[in-house]
Amino acid sequence: MVKFVLAWITAVFTMTLFSMVVNRFSSKEVREPQLIRWLLEHHPSAPPLPPQTGWIIHFVIGLLFMLLFEAFWIATAFPKTLDWALALGTFFGTLGIAGWILMFHLHPKKPDINFKMYYFQLFFAHIVFALTATGIYSVLDTLKYSM
């Protein structure tokens, strides 16, 4: 359980850090928590929300992705390798893009962002997520066996 929680929090954090770096160097809004908050704040029926709402929702969605990640590992019994992380990251990147396309489509307003750039970086952000989660599991497994 500790391994799972540490992998989840670290993977969401590094994914978000990747998006923040892209934001910083491109001056384009690609940060998931800010876009989640924007969608909520600009919905006609949205009540006032605390500033951290986008972050909380982003981490909850990350938890759902981590549960899927874990389910894939359990169902397939494949070892947690770099290749497997890249494959799952690619799958999750595609799934994440589909989810954001759906959210933007269903929302009555569209944020003023470069959608192509957002989806491009989002794809790679999910690969960062998968690599981080796999790396955390590998490091903790190595530590367990070396003690």
Side-chain angles (χ1 to χ4, degrees):
M1 180 60 127
V2 170
K3 212 182 331 183
F4 176 87
V5 171
L6 191 57
W8 159 54
I9 290 171
T10 308
V12 174
F13 177 76
T14 56
M15 171 191 179
T16 308
L17 184 61
F18 173 82
S19 298
M20 289 174 163
V21 169
V22 171
N23 169 259
R24 174 83 172 144
F25 286 102
S26 70
S27 299
K28 306 287 184 197
E29 186 56 82
V30 294
R31 299 169 297 172
E32 297 84 6
Q34 283 72 10
L35 287 170
I36 292 168
R37 183 161 168 77
W38 188 95
L39 288 172
L40 292 170
E41 286 178 339
H42 290 86
H43 196 277
S45 61
L49 300 167
Q52 62 273 34
T53 302
W55 282 95
I56 292 167
I57 293 171
H58 184 55
F59 269 87
V60 169
I61 293 169
L63 176 60
L64 296 175
F65 271 80
M66 195 65 207
L67 288 168
L68 280 174
F69 208 65
E70 189 74 18
F72 274 113
W73 276 332
I74 291 168
T76 62
F78 285 134
K80 295 171 179 83
T81 63
L82 176 64
D83 291 342
W84 189 232
L86 290 171
L88 280 178
T90 298
F91 173 73
F92 286 149
T94 304
L95 186 63
I97 290 168
W100 277 97
I101 288 171
L102 181 63
M103 283 192 292
F104 289 138
H105 176 75
L106 294 174
H107 198 278
K109 287 184 166 182
K110 306 297 176 256
D112 185 21
I113 64 170
N114 180 328
F115 288 95
K116 286 183 183 178
M117 180 170 178
Y118 179 66
Y119 298 138
F120 182 76
Q121 78 78 35
L122 187 66
F123 178 81
F124 287 101
H126 282 87
I127 291 175
V128 169
F129 177 95
L131 290 171
T132 302
T134 303
I136 293 295
Y137 271 88
S138 296
V139 166
L140 293 177
D141 285 344
T142 302
L143 290 174
K144 180 176 105 178
Y145 292 117
S146 68
M147 294 179 155

